[in-house]
Amino acid sequence: MATFFRKQEISVKDKVVTIEQKSIEDIFKFNSQPYIIVGTSGCGKTTLCIDIIYKFSKMCTNIYYVTATSETITDDSLSQIPKAFRRKPTFENLYGIWKEITENHDAFYANETKLTNVLVTLCGQSEATNIINQLNAKRKAIQKEQQELYLSKNYNENDARECANNDSKAFYIDVLTKLILDLASTKGTKKLTIEDMNILSALVSPEPRVLLMLDDVSAELNDLRSKQQKVVYNGQQAKISDAYKNLIIDILTRGRHYGVLVCIFLHTIDLINDKSLINNLVVLNKGAAQKINNFRTFTEDMKAAMLAATQYIFTDDHNHLFLYISQSDDTLSVGRADLHYGQDMELSKINQEFVNAYEAISSGIDAGAVANNVGDEGDYYSSGYTYSGDDGGNNVF
């Protein structure tokens, strides 16, 4: 059985389309529109899902694996994914995950106004005003000095001004950040809101890089569409069916802007109400391709190329292959999922500490010692944890 797909030229209407194999890393990208992965039961959805997690786990700050599937005696493939990352596909879980992702992103990219507000809360208006005035004075001086330096290096006036402004802003943010962390340590954090605490945590955390995997959740998502019970969504009461629909739209439209790699695995594409939101499409078998071919949303050329390609990809000579379609540039590629059974998953430091703490708690061990060894940089936050208190007044970090 072939383990690699050789480049193939196929005739589609009046043109020739070339399809060749690409790596998982070349197909799935952070900051890209979500990937909709479609295939019937037994076609390898979970195999691909696990492979993606393994390929990107080391670089992620957060991993969310949402699935209704449970480990069984006959199929324990899910045991490869730490329980700390797993969630059941309830609306509350999915909504909570999305809020966590967006709030942590906004905290990391907090603007000067939000940082200043945290400073005011920590030390009071008078002291904060004095600090900001001194910082602004130094900032203006650096702006002037750096602009003169860049002009002396023959930068044009606009470029010199922009570079000098970036330098002065970097100084301002760096000093303001250090002052906030120092004040949080010496004065305590009792007065800070949850949003303030998220910002404080973000100041000592790496840039968010999040993997959100919704694996084999078709039945649950379909069931949510018809439920009439009320839930709170974005601060307002709404029917769970409407809230679910809006949440999925939000993830599909805004996922890329939060630096999230989103993969949604479905039995059928009709669970996505607005097909125009689908750009990255992954097809796992011929049956899925036939169903996709029935939707008018996709161009006739794309559907013709997809059906032609499936004849070469989904054969008895290949295993774990899939077809990737990018509608933004009308390209088709072939990918292959690797098996990882028995292999250790490489995790970033922040996620390894989270998994260790989770497993310690799950096994009934006092995890206090584990939590205290998270790291010198205070990178405590991870999937499922949001710190919203303090230690009684001092040394939160």
Side-chain angles (χ1 to χ4, degrees), residues 29-34 56 59-62 64 98 101-102 104-106 109 207-212 251 253-262:
K29 302 282 189 180
F30 289 91
N31 302 309
S32 292
Q33 288 176 272
F56 294 105
M59 66 180 68
C60 289
T61 56
N62 298 77
Y64 301 94
W98 187 239
I101 290 171
T102 56
N104 287 331
H105 176 275
D106 291 344
Y109 293 100
E207 181 180 10
R209 181 156 292 220
V210 181
L211 191 58
L212 173 57
I251 293 173
T253 55
R254 299 170 64 204
R256 65 182 302 182
H257 301 299
Y258 289 106
V260 188
L261 173 51
V262 180

PDB file of all heavy atoms in Angstrom, residues 29-34 56 59-62 64 98 101-102 104-106 109 207-212 251 253-262:
ATOM      1  N   LYS A  29      -2.865  25.778   8.970  1.00  0.00           N
ATOM      2  CA  LYS A  29      -2.115  26.964   9.377  1.00  0.00           C
ATOM      3  C   LYS A  29      -2.859  27.736  10.462  1.00  0.00           C
ATOM      4  O   LYS A  29      -4.081  27.877  10.404  1.00  0.00           O
ATOM      5  CB  LYS A  29      -1.905  27.904   8.176  1.00  0.00           C
ATOM      6  CG  LYS A  29      -1.170  27.289   6.986  1.00  0.00           C
ATOM      7  CD  LYS A  29       0.318  27.231   7.238  1.00  0.00           C
ATOM      8  CE  LYS A  29       1.070  26.835   5.961  1.00  0.00           C
ATOM      9  NZ  LYS A  29       2.530  26.776   6.187  1.00  0.00           N
ATOM     10  N   PHE A  30      -2.100  28.242  11.434  1.00  0.00           N
ATOM     11  CA  PHE A  30      -2.670  29.199  12.367  1.00  0.00           C
ATOM     12  C   PHE A  30      -2.971  30.493  11.600  1.00  0.00           C
ATOM     13  O   PHE A  30      -2.366  30.768  10.562  1.00  0.00           O
ATOM     14  CB  PHE A  30      -1.686  29.494  13.504  1.00  0.00           C
ATOM     15  CG  PHE A  30      -1.520  28.349  14.466  1.00  0.00           C
ATOM     16  CD1 PHE A  30      -0.534  27.395  14.258  1.00  0.00           C
ATOM     17  CD2 PHE A  30      -2.353  28.215  15.564  1.00  0.00           C
ATOM     18  CE1 PHE A  30      -0.372  26.328  15.133  1.00  0.00           C
ATOM     19  CE2 PHE A  30      -2.205  27.153  16.446  1.00  0.00           C
ATOM     20  CZ  PHE A  30      -1.220  26.207  16.224  1.00  0.00           C
ATOM     21  N   ASN A  31      -3.890  31.279  12.135  1.00  0.00           N
ATOM     22  CA  ASN A  31      -4.295  32.546  11.498  1.00  0.00           C
ATOM     23  C   ASN A  31      -4.948  32.327  10.139  1.00  0.00           C
ATOM     24  O   ASN A  31      -4.996  33.245   9.316  1.00  0.00           O
ATOM     25  CB  ASN A  31      -3.101  33.500  11.355  1.00  0.00           C
ATOM     26  CG  ASN A  31      -2.445  33.818  12.686  1.00  0.00           C
ATOM     27  OD1 ASN A  31      -3.116  34.205  13.630  1.00  0.00           O
ATOM     28  ND2 ASN A  31      -1.137  33.631  12.766  1.00  0.00           N
ATOM     29  N   SER A  32      -5.431  31.118   9.890  1.00  0.00           N
ATOM     30  CA  SER A  32      -6.188  30.838   8.669  1.00  0.00           C
ATOM     31  C   SER A  32      -7.655  30.662   9.034  1.00  0.00           C
ATOM     32  O   SER A  32      -8.002  30.441  10.192  1.00  0.00           O
ATOM     33  CB  SER A  32      -5.682  29.561   7.994  1.00  0.00           C
ATOM     34  OG  SER A  32      -4.384  29.737   7.484  1.00  0.00           O
ATOM     35  N   GLN A  33      -8.511  30.755   8.027  1.00  0.00           N
ATOM     36  CA  GLN A  33      -9.923  30.489   8.276  1.00  0.00           C
ATOM     37  C   GLN A  33     -10.094  29.040   8.733  1.00  0.00           C
ATOM     38  O   GLN A  33      -9.296  28.171   8.367  1.00  0.00           O
ATOM     39  CB  GLN A  33     -10.733  30.753   7.007  1.00  0.00           C
ATOM     40  CG  GLN A  33     -10.859  32.241   6.675  1.00  0.00           C
ATOM     41  CD  GLN A  33     -11.592  32.461   5.371  1.00  0.00           C
ATOM     42  OE1 GLN A  33     -11.000  32.482   4.290  1.00  0.00           O
ATOM     43  NE2 GLN A  33     -12.909  32.620   5.459  1.00  0.00           N
ATOM     44  N   PRO A  34     -11.107  28.756   9.554  1.00  0.00           N
ATOM     45  CA  PRO A  34     -11.304  27.397  10.069  1.00  0.00           C
ATOM     46  C   PRO A  34     -11.376  26.351   8.971  1.00  0.00           C
ATOM     47  O   PRO A  34     -11.784  26.635   7.838  1.00  0.00           O
ATOM     48  CB  PRO A  34     -12.637  27.516  10.823  1.00  0.00           C
ATOM     49  CG  PRO A  34     -12.681  28.935  11.270  1.00  0.00           C
ATOM     50  CD  PRO A  34     -12.073  29.712  10.125  1.00  0.00           C
ATOM     51  N   PHE A  56       1.206  19.823  16.084  1.00  0.00           N
ATOM     52  CA  PHE A  56       1.256  21.215  16.548  1.00  0.00           C
ATOM     53  C   PHE A  56       1.317  21.368  18.073  1.00  0.00           C
ATOM     54  O   PHE A  56       1.408  22.489  18.566  1.00  0.00           O
ATOM     55  CB  PHE A  56       0.034  21.982  16.026  1.00  0.00           C
ATOM     56  CG  PHE A  56       0.016  22.152  14.545  1.00  0.00           C
ATOM     57  CD1 PHE A  56      -0.832  21.392  13.750  1.00  0.00           C
ATOM     58  CD2 PHE A  56       0.850  23.066  13.919  1.00  0.00           C
ATOM     59  CE1 PHE A  56      -0.850  21.548  12.368  1.00  0.00           C
ATOM     60  CE2 PHE A  56       0.843  23.234  12.544  1.00  0.00           C
ATOM     61  CZ  PHE A  56      -0.010  22.470  11.765  1.00  0.00           C
ATOM     62  N   MET A  59       3.952  23.688  19.965  1.00  0.00           N
ATOM     63  CA  MET A  59       3.939  25.141  19.801  1.00  0.00           C
ATOM     64  C   MET A  59       2.687  25.802  20.379  1.00  0.00           C
ATOM     65  O   MET A  59       2.555  27.022  20.348  1.00  0.00           O
ATOM     66  CB  MET A  59       4.082  25.515  18.320  1.00  0.00           C
ATOM     67  CG  MET A  59       2.908  25.096  17.461  1.00  0.00           C
ATOM     68  SD  MET A  59       3.127  25.571  15.712  1.00  0.00           S
ATOM     69  CE  MET A  59       4.486  24.505  15.245  1.00  0.00           C
ATOM     70  N   CYS A  60       1.759  25.001  20.908  1.00  0.00           N
ATOM     71  CA  CYS A  60       0.481  25.554  21.371  1.00  0.00           C
ATOM     72  C   CYS A  60       0.549  26.005  22.831  1.00  0.00           C
ATOM     73  O   CYS A  60       1.171  25.351  23.666  1.00  0.00           O
ATOM     74  CB  CYS A  60      -0.628  24.520  21.233  1.00  0.00           C
ATOM     75  SG  CYS A  60      -1.103  24.189  19.532  1.00  0.00           S
ATOM     76  N   THR A  61      -0.127  27.107  23.123  1.00  0.00           N
ATOM     77  CA  THR A  61      -0.315  27.523  24.508  1.00  0.00           C
ATOM     78  C   THR A  61      -1.574  26.897  25.079  1.00  0.00           C
ATOM     79  O   THR A  61      -1.677  26.699  26.294  1.00  0.00           O
ATOM     80  CB  THR A  61      -0.419  29.057  24.613  1.00  0.00           C
ATOM     81  OG1 THR A  61      -1.485  29.522  23.762  1.00  0.00           O
ATOM     82  CG2 THR A  61       0.876  29.732  24.193  1.00  0.00           C
ATOM     83  N   ASN A  62      -2.545  26.600  24.239  1.00  0.00           N
ATOM     84  CA  ASN A  62      -3.795  25.978  24.665  1.00  0.00           C
ATOM     85  C   ASN A  62      -4.252  24.974  23.619  1.00  0.00           C
ATOM     86  O   ASN A  62      -4.141  25.233  22.417  1.00  0.00           O
ATOM     87  CB  ASN A  62      -4.912  27.013  24.857  1.00  0.00           C
ATOM     88  CG  ASN A  62      -4.606  28.021  25.936  1.00  0.00           C
ATOM     89  OD1 ASN A  62      -3.828  28.940  25.710  1.00  0.00           O
ATOM     90  ND2 ASN A  62      -5.208  27.869  27.087  1.00  0.00           N
ATOM     91  N   TYR A  64      -7.697  22.527  22.884  1.00  0.00           N
ATOM     92  CA  TYR A  64      -9.058  22.127  23.243  1.00  0.00           C
ATOM     93  C   TYR A  64      -9.486  21.025  22.274  1.00  0.00           C
ATOM     94  O   TYR A  64      -9.532  21.245  21.062  1.00  0.00           O
ATOM     95  CB  TYR A  64     -10.032  23.292  23.134  1.00  0.00           C
ATOM     96  CG  TYR A  64      -9.700  24.492  23.992  1.00  0.00           C
ATOM     97  CD1 TYR A  64      -8.965  25.556  23.463  1.00  0.00           C
ATOM     98  CD2 TYR A  64     -10.129  24.569  25.314  1.00  0.00           C
ATOM     99  CE1 TYR A  64      -8.664  26.656  24.239  1.00  0.00           C
ATOM    100  CE2 TYR A  64      -9.839  25.674  26.092  1.00  0.00           C
ATOM    101  CZ  TYR A  64      -9.099  26.728  25.552  1.00  0.00           C
ATOM    102  OH  TYR A  64      -8.797  27.822  26.315  1.00  0.00           O
ATOM    103  N   TRP A  98     -14.804  29.281  23.798  1.00  0.00           N
ATOM    104  CA  TRP A  98     -14.666  30.425  22.894  1.00  0.00           C
ATOM    105  C   TRP A  98     -14.438  31.723  23.679  1.00  0.00           C
ATOM    106  O   TRP A  98     -13.639  32.568  23.283  1.00  0.00           O
ATOM    107  CB  TRP A  98     -15.881  30.528  21.990  1.00  0.00           C
ATOM    108  CG  TRP A  98     -15.752  31.560  20.914  1.00  0.00           C
ATOM    109  CD1 TRP A  98     -16.542  32.639  20.696  1.00  0.00           C
ATOM    110  CD2 TRP A  98     -14.735  31.610  19.894  1.00  0.00           C
ATOM    111  NE1 TRP A  98     -16.105  33.355  19.611  1.00  0.00           N
ATOM    112  CE2 TRP A  98     -14.998  32.751  19.097  1.00  0.00           C
ATOM    113  CE3 TRP A  98     -13.649  30.805  19.585  1.00  0.00           C
ATOM    114  CZ2 TRP A  98     -14.185  33.105  18.009  1.00  0.00           C
ATOM    115  CZ3 TRP A  98     -12.846  31.157  18.501  1.00  0.00           C
ATOM    116  CH2 TRP A  98     -13.125  32.286  17.737  1.00  0.00           C
ATOM    117  N   ILE A 101     -10.858  31.758  24.835  1.00  0.00           N
ATOM    118  CA  ILE A 101      -9.945  32.072  23.739  1.00  0.00           C
ATOM    119  C   ILE A 101      -9.932  33.570  23.444  1.00  0.00           C
ATOM    120  O   ILE A 101      -8.875  34.193  23.331  1.00  0.00           O
ATOM    121  CB  ILE A 101     -10.338  31.273  22.473  1.00  0.00           C
ATOM    122  CG1 ILE A 101     -10.028  29.787  22.669  1.00  0.00           C
ATOM    123  CG2 ILE A 101      -9.600  31.808  21.240  1.00  0.00           C
ATOM    124  CD1 ILE A 101     -10.569  28.889  21.568  1.00  0.00           C
ATOM    125  N   THR A 102     -11.122  34.159  23.304  1.00  0.00           N
ATOM    126  CA  THR A 102     -11.203  35.571  22.936  1.00  0.00           C
ATOM    127  C   THR A 102     -10.715  36.474  24.063  1.00  0.00           C
ATOM    128  O   THR A 102     -10.030  37.472  23.813  1.00  0.00           O
ATOM    129  CB  THR A 102     -12.651  35.949  22.552  1.00  0.00           C
ATOM    130  OG1 THR A 102     -13.542  35.632  23.631  1.00  0.00           O
ATOM    131  CG2 THR A 102     -13.093  35.181  21.315  1.00  0.00           C
ATOM    132  N   ASN A 104      -8.520  35.759  26.469  1.00  0.00           N
ATOM    133  CA  ASN A 104      -7.063  35.660  26.611  1.00  0.00           C
ATOM    134  C   ASN A 104      -6.342  36.394  25.488  1.00  0.00           C
ATOM    135  O   ASN A 104      -5.281  36.997  25.700  1.00  0.00           O
ATOM    136  CB  ASN A 104      -6.638  34.196  26.653  1.00  0.00           C
ATOM    137  CG  ASN A 104      -6.995  33.533  27.964  1.00  0.00           C
ATOM    138  OD1 ASN A 104      -7.055  34.190  29.006  1.00  0.00           O
ATOM    139  ND2 ASN A 104      -7.255  32.246  27.935  1.00  0.00           N
ATOM    140  N   HIS A 105      -6.914  36.324  24.284  1.00  0.00           N
ATOM    141  CA  HIS A 105      -6.330  37.073  23.163  1.00  0.00           C
ATOM    142  C   HIS A 105      -6.399  38.569  23.429  1.00  0.00           C
ATOM    143  O   HIS A 105      -5.402  39.290  23.273  1.00  0.00           O
ATOM    144  CB  HIS A 105      -7.074  36.733  21.867  1.00  0.00           C
ATOM    145  CG  HIS A 105      -6.599  37.520  20.680  1.00  0.00           C
ATOM    146  ND1 HIS A 105      -7.077  38.781  20.396  1.00  0.00           N
ATOM    147  CD2 HIS A 105      -5.683  37.237  19.703  1.00  0.00           C
ATOM    148  CE1 HIS A 105      -6.487  39.240  19.312  1.00  0.00           C
ATOM    149  NE2 HIS A 105      -5.652  38.329  18.870  1.00  0.00           N
ATOM    150  N   ASP A 106      -7.568  39.051  23.833  1.00  0.00           N
ATOM    151  CA  ASP A 106      -7.736  40.484  24.085  1.00  0.00           C
ATOM    152  C   ASP A 106      -6.848  40.953  25.230  1.00  0.00           C
ATOM    153  O   ASP A 106      -6.330  42.082  25.209  1.00  0.00           O
ATOM    154  CB  ASP A 106      -9.199  40.793  24.407  1.00  0.00           C
ATOM    155  CG  ASP A 106     -10.109  40.609  23.201  1.00  0.00           C
ATOM    156  OD1 ASP A 106      -9.592  40.545  22.072  1.00  0.00           O
ATOM    157  OD2 ASP A 106     -11.338  40.515  23.393  1.00  0.00           O
ATOM    158  N   TYR A 109      -3.241  41.332  23.952  1.00  0.00           N
ATOM    159  CA  TYR A 109      -3.072  42.498  23.090  1.00  0.00           C
ATOM    160  C   TYR A 109      -3.752  43.738  23.673  1.00  0.00           C
ATOM    161  O   TYR A 109      -4.230  44.601  22.933  1.00  0.00           O
ATOM    162  CB  TYR A 109      -3.640  42.202  21.698  1.00  0.00           C
ATOM    163  CG  TYR A 109      -2.848  41.151  20.955  1.00  0.00           C
ATOM    164  CD1 TYR A 109      -3.293  39.832  20.894  1.00  0.00           C
ATOM    165  CD2 TYR A 109      -1.633  41.467  20.340  1.00  0.00           C
ATOM    166  CE1 TYR A 109      -2.561  38.859  20.235  1.00  0.00           C
ATOM    167  CE2 TYR A 109      -0.903  40.498  19.679  1.00  0.00           C
ATOM    168  CZ  TYR A 109      -1.368  39.196  19.629  1.00  0.00           C
ATOM    169  OH  TYR A 109      -0.640  38.238  18.975  1.00  0.00           O
ATOM    170  N   GLU A 207       2.676  34.539  23.671  1.00  0.00           N
ATOM    171  CA  GLU A 207       1.587  34.904  22.765  1.00  0.00           C
ATOM    172  C   GLU A 207       0.655  33.705  22.564  1.00  0.00           C
ATOM    173  O   GLU A 207       1.114  32.589  22.341  1.00  0.00           O
ATOM    174  CB  GLU A 207       2.145  35.343  21.419  1.00  0.00           C
ATOM    175  CG  GLU A 207       1.085  35.761  20.411  1.00  0.00           C
ATOM    176  CD  GLU A 207       1.674  36.201  19.093  1.00  0.00           C
ATOM    177  OE1 GLU A 207       2.885  36.014  18.883  1.00  0.00           O
ATOM    178  OE2 GLU A 207       0.921  36.732  18.252  1.00  0.00           O
ATOM    179  N   PRO A 208      -0.668  33.931  22.656  1.00  0.00           N
ATOM    180  CA  PRO A 208      -1.602  32.803  22.508  1.00  0.00           C
ATOM    181  C   PRO A 208      -1.470  32.116  21.151  1.00  0.00           C
ATOM    182  O   PRO A 208      -1.444  32.761  20.117  1.00  0.00           O
ATOM    183  CB  PRO A 208      -2.981  33.476  22.643  1.00  0.00           C
ATOM    184  CG  PRO A 208      -2.733  34.736  23.382  1.00  0.00           C
ATOM    185  CD  PRO A 208      -1.371  35.191  22.942  1.00  0.00           C
ATOM    186  N   ARG A 209      -1.368  30.807  21.205  1.00  0.00           N
ATOM    187  CA  ARG A 209      -1.390  29.990  19.992  1.00  0.00           C
ATOM    188  C   ARG A 209      -2.270  28.789  20.315  1.00  0.00           C
ATOM    189  O   ARG A 209      -1.860  27.877  21.022  1.00  0.00           O
ATOM    190  CB  ARG A 209       0.016  29.559  19.591  1.00  0.00           C
ATOM    191  CG  ARG A 209       0.050  28.732  18.328  1.00  0.00           C
ATOM    192  CD  ARG A 209       1.385  28.792  17.646  1.00  0.00           C
ATOM    193  NE  ARG A 209       1.650  30.112  17.097  1.00  0.00           N
ATOM    194  CZ  ARG A 209       2.230  30.322  15.917  1.00  0.00           C
ATOM    195  NH1 ARG A 209       2.565  29.309  15.165  1.00  0.00           N
ATOM    196  NH2 ARG A 209       2.459  31.540  15.505  1.00  0.00           N
ATOM    197  N   VAL A 210      -3.480  28.821  19.795  1.00  0.00           N
ATOM    198  CA  VAL A 210      -4.531  27.920  20.274  1.00  0.00           C
ATOM    199  C   VAL A 210      -4.951  26.931  19.196  1.00  0.00           C
ATOM    200  O   VAL A 210      -5.099  27.283  18.027  1.00  0.00           O
ATOM    201  CB  VAL A 210      -5.762  28.733  20.730  1.00  0.00           C
ATOM    202  CG1 VAL A 210      -6.849  27.805  21.260  1.00  0.00           C
ATOM    203  CG2 VAL A 210      -5.368  29.754  21.797  1.00  0.00           C
ATOM    204  N   LEU A 211      -5.143  25.680  19.629  1.00  0.00           N
ATOM    205  CA  LEU A 211      -5.651  24.629  18.758  1.00  0.00           C
ATOM    206  C   LEU A 211      -7.035  24.245  19.265  1.00  0.00           C
ATOM    207  O   LEU A 211      -7.193  23.822  20.414  1.00  0.00           O
ATOM    208  CB  LEU A 211      -4.713  23.426  18.804  1.00  0.00           C
ATOM    209  CG  LEU A 211      -4.897  22.308  17.777  1.00  0.00           C
ATOM    210  CD1 LEU A 211      -4.791  22.846  16.361  1.00  0.00           C
ATOM    211  CD2 LEU A 211      -3.871  21.209  18.007  1.00  0.00           C
ATOM    212  N   LEU A 212      -8.058  24.425  18.424  1.00  0.00           N
ATOM    213  CA  LEU A 212      -9.434  24.088  18.777  1.00  0.00           C
ATOM    214  C   LEU A 212      -9.927  23.009  17.825  1.00  0.00           C
ATOM    215  O   LEU A 212     -10.110  23.248  16.632  1.00  0.00           O
ATOM    216  CB  LEU A 212     -10.331  25.321  18.693  1.00  0.00           C
ATOM    217  CG  LEU A 212     -11.844  25.095  18.886  1.00  0.00           C
ATOM    218  CD1 LEU A 212     -12.132  24.422  20.221  1.00  0.00           C
ATOM    219  CD2 LEU A 212     -12.603  26.409  18.774  1.00  0.00           C
ATOM    220  N   ILE A 251     -17.231  31.667  15.437  1.00  0.00           N
ATOM    221  CA  ILE A 251     -15.989  30.896  15.322  1.00  0.00           C
ATOM    222  C   ILE A 251     -15.503  30.860  13.879  1.00  0.00           C
ATOM    223  O   ILE A 251     -14.303  31.026  13.601  1.00  0.00           O
ATOM    224  CB  ILE A 251     -16.204  29.465  15.859  1.00  0.00           C
ATOM    225  CG1 ILE A 251     -16.449  29.500  17.377  1.00  0.00           C
ATOM    226  CG2 ILE A 251     -15.005  28.577  15.545  1.00  0.00           C
ATOM    227  CD1 ILE A 251     -16.833  28.158  17.966  1.00  0.00           C
ATOM    228  N   THR A 253     -16.097  33.003  11.435  1.00  0.00           N
ATOM    229  CA  THR A 253     -15.727  34.302  10.875  1.00  0.00           C
ATOM    230  C   THR A 253     -14.562  34.969  11.602  1.00  0.00           C
ATOM    231  O   THR A 253     -13.800  35.718  11.001  1.00  0.00           O
ATOM    232  CB  THR A 253     -16.929  35.263  10.892  1.00  0.00           C
ATOM    233  OG1 THR A 253     -17.448  35.346  12.232  1.00  0.00           O
ATOM    234  CG2 THR A 253     -18.015  34.775   9.966  1.00  0.00           C
ATOM    235  N   ARG A 254     -14.413  34.675  12.904  1.00  0.00           N
ATOM    236  CA  ARG A 254     -13.415  35.395  13.686  1.00  0.00           C
ATOM    237  C   ARG A 254     -12.257  34.538  14.175  1.00  0.00           C
ATOM    238  O   ARG A 254     -11.303  35.058  14.755  1.00  0.00           O
ATOM    239  CB  ARG A 254     -14.087  36.060  14.893  1.00  0.00           C
ATOM    240  CG  ARG A 254     -15.149  37.084  14.502  1.00  0.00           C
ATOM    241  CD  ARG A 254     -15.949  37.532  15.728  1.00  0.00           C
ATOM    242  NE  ARG A 254     -15.123  38.217  16.699  1.00  0.00           N
ATOM    243  CZ  ARG A 254     -15.421  38.295  17.997  1.00  0.00           C
ATOM    244  NH1 ARG A 254     -16.505  37.709  18.461  1.00  0.00           N
ATOM    245  NH2 ARG A 254     -14.632  38.948  18.826  1.00  0.00           N
ATOM    246  N   GLY A 255     -12.331  33.226  13.942  1.00  0.00           N
ATOM    247  CA  GLY A 255     -11.294  32.333  14.441  1.00  0.00           C
ATOM    248  C   GLY A 255      -9.896  32.739  14.030  1.00  0.00           C
ATOM    249  O   GLY A 255      -8.964  32.759  14.842  1.00  0.00           O
ATOM    250  N   ARG A 256      -9.726  33.096  12.773  1.00  0.00           N
ATOM    251  CA  ARG A 256      -8.404  33.447  12.265  1.00  0.00           C
ATOM    252  C   ARG A 256      -7.846  34.698  12.922  1.00  0.00           C
ATOM    253  O   ARG A 256      -6.626  34.858  13.073  1.00  0.00           O
ATOM    254  CB  ARG A 256      -8.458  33.641  10.750  1.00  0.00           C
ATOM    255  CG  ARG A 256      -9.315  34.816  10.300  1.00  0.00           C
ATOM    256  CD  ARG A 256      -9.359  34.931   8.785  1.00  0.00           C
ATOM    257  NE  ARG A 256      -8.041  35.082   8.202  1.00  0.00           N
ATOM    258  CZ  ARG A 256      -7.813  35.248   6.908  1.00  0.00           C
ATOM    259  NH1 ARG A 256      -8.841  35.266   6.061  1.00  0.00           N
ATOM    260  NH2 ARG A 256      -6.602  35.388   6.450  1.00  0.00           N
ATOM    261  N   HIS A 257      -8.729  35.619  13.331  1.00  0.00           N
ATOM    262  CA  HIS A 257      -8.281  36.880  13.919  1.00  0.00           C
ATOM    263  C   HIS A 257      -7.779  36.699  15.347  1.00  0.00           C
ATOM    264  O   HIS A 257      -7.131  37.588  15.889  1.00  0.00           O
ATOM    265  CB  HIS A 257      -9.424  37.897  13.894  1.00  0.00           C
ATOM    266  CG  HIS A 257      -9.943  38.180  12.520  1.00  0.00           C
ATOM    267  ND1 HIS A 257      -9.151  38.720  11.512  1.00  0.00           N
ATOM    268  CD2 HIS A 257     -11.161  37.975  11.944  1.00  0.00           C
ATOM    269  CE1 HIS A 257      -9.861  38.848  10.404  1.00  0.00           C
ATOM    270  NE2 HIS A 257     -11.075  38.401  10.637  1.00  0.00           N
ATOM    271  N   TYR A 258      -8.085  35.558  15.945  1.00  0.00           N
ATOM    272  CA  TYR A 258      -7.603  35.283  17.297  1.00  0.00           C
ATOM    273  C   TYR A 258      -6.420  34.318  17.294  1.00  0.00           C
ATOM    274  O   TYR A 258      -6.043  33.801  18.343  1.00  0.00           O
ATOM    275  CB  TYR A 258      -8.742  34.723  18.151  1.00  0.00           C
ATOM    276  CG  TYR A 258      -9.784  35.764  18.487  1.00  0.00           C
ATOM    277  CD1 TYR A 258     -11.032  35.762  17.872  1.00  0.00           C
ATOM    278  CD2 TYR A 258      -9.518  36.774  19.408  1.00  0.00           C
ATOM    279  CE1 TYR A 258     -11.983  36.726  18.166  1.00  0.00           C
ATOM    280  CE2 TYR A 258     -10.454  37.744  19.703  1.00  0.00           C
ATOM    281  CZ  TYR A 258     -11.689  37.708  19.079  1.00  0.00           C
ATOM    282  OH  TYR A 258     -12.622  38.682  19.372  1.00  0.00           O
ATOM    283  N   GLY A 259      -5.840  34.098  16.133  1.00  0.00           N
ATOM    284  CA  GLY A 259      -4.668  33.232  16.041  1.00  0.00           C
ATOM    285  C   GLY A 259      -4.965  31.775  16.333  1.00  0.00           C
ATOM    286  O   GLY A 259      -4.081  31.031  16.754  1.00  0.00           O
ATOM    287  N   VAL A 260      -6.207  31.348  16.095  1.00  0.00           N
ATOM    288  CA  VAL A 260      -6.620  29.985  16.432  1.00  0.00           C
ATOM    289  C   VAL A 260      -6.596  29.095  15.197  1.00  0.00           C
ATOM    290  O   VAL A 260      -7.015  29.508  14.121  1.00  0.00           O
ATOM    291  CB  VAL A 260      -8.047  29.977  17.025  1.00  0.00           C
ATOM    292  CG1 VAL A 260      -8.400  28.591  17.543  1.00  0.00           C
ATOM    293  CG2 VAL A 260      -8.174  31.012  18.136  1.00  0.00           C
ATOM    294  N   LEU A 261      -6.098  27.886  15.369  1.00  0.00           N
ATOM    295  CA  LEU A 261      -6.233  26.871  14.332  1.00  0.00           C
ATOM    296  C   LEU A 261      -7.478  26.060  14.688  1.00  0.00           C
ATOM    297  O   LEU A 261      -7.481  25.297  15.662  1.00  0.00           O
ATOM    298  CB  LEU A 261      -4.992  25.973  14.278  1.00  0.00           C
ATOM    299  CG  LEU A 261      -5.044  24.748  13.354  1.00  0.00           C
ATOM    300  CD1 LEU A 261      -5.489  25.121  11.952  1.00  0.00           C
ATOM    301  CD2 LEU A 261      -3.704  24.038  13.324  1.00  0.00           C
ATOM    302  N   VAL A 262      -8.556  26.275  13.920  1.00  0.00           N
ATOM    303  CA  VAL A 262      -9.847  25.639  14.194  1.00  0.00           C
ATOM    304  C   VAL A 262     -10.092  24.527  13.176  1.00  0.00           C
ATOM    305  O   VAL A 262     -10.016  24.763  11.967  1.00  0.00           O
ATOM    306  CB  VAL A 262     -11.008  26.656  14.120  1.00  0.00           C
ATOM    307  CG1 VAL A 262     -12.338  25.959  14.414  1.00  0.00           C
ATOM    308  CG2 VAL A 262     -10.781  27.808  15.087  1.00  0.00           C
TER     309      VAL A 262
END
